[in-house]
Amino acid sequence: MVNTTGRKMNTLFKALIIPACTGEPVRVEPIEATLRNLQELVGGDIESIARGDWHVYLNAESLIQNLPLNLRAAQLTYDGGLDLAGAGRGCAVFLGNDEDRGETDVPEHLVRRAEELFGMPLAA
């Protein structure tokens, strides 16, 4: 990806990934934040919900696809001041916002809160 100045833009960022299935681990890992990769992670078309210095990508058709509720992501977003009210279905991918509302690494405070909520270290 190239920005308006002709310089290549970074698309690799540290993400917090919370699968809907509680049997799958919550993880922090570097991802390439491209449309195709985000769609693969959430299992379809994406929607983004922003709150402060972070945003979460979810499957835009999760109700139609009858994806399971993501209770862990719902709890984390609620603690962060955002109530998904049942919209949190399927895999959730959390990233940070830069000053232009572009992608950046997931904020450390969100990772720490996830560690506290889910009782597991999430080092990337």
Side-chain angles (χ1 to χ4, degrees):
M1 190 181 315
V2 177
N3 67 13
T4 56
T5 63
R7 295 193 337 232
K8 187 168 182 172
M9 294 173 55
N10 183 22
T11 59
L12 191 65
F13 301 103
K14 183 170 63 167
L16 172 62
I17 301 170
I18 304 179
C21 177
T22 57
E24 293 181 47
V26 174
R27 61 194 191 274
V28 174
E29 63 185 43
I31 65 163
E32 189 173 358
T34 62
L35 177 61
R36 179 181 217 136
N37 195 38
L38 290 166
Q39 287 173 326
E40 187 175 307
L41 285 166
V42 303
D45 289 333
I46 60 171
E47 67 178 328
S48 176
I49 302 170
R51 174 76 173 143
D53 62 349
W54 57 269
H55 57 278
V56 58
Y57 286 105
L58 301 164
N59 184 310
E61 299 175 333
S62 61
L63 286 173
I64 296 168
Q65 294 178 5
N66 199 28
L67 295 177
L69 284 172
N70 190 328
L71 299 175
R72 297 180 294 187
Q75 181 62 53
L76 181 61
T77 58
Y78 185 80
D79 282 8
L82 177 66
D83 188 357
L84 291 180
R89 295 176 171 269
C91 185
V93 180
F94 292 82
L95 287 164
N97 295 328
D98 70 10
E99 60 277 355
D100 297 321
R101 286 293 203 208
E103 309 290 1
T104 190
D105 291 337
V106 65
E108 287 300 318
H109 67 87
L110 206 59
V111 173
R112 282 192 307 274
R113 185 63 187 136
E115 289 175 331
E116 293 167 3
L117 283 172
F118 312 132
M120 61 182 75
L122 298 171

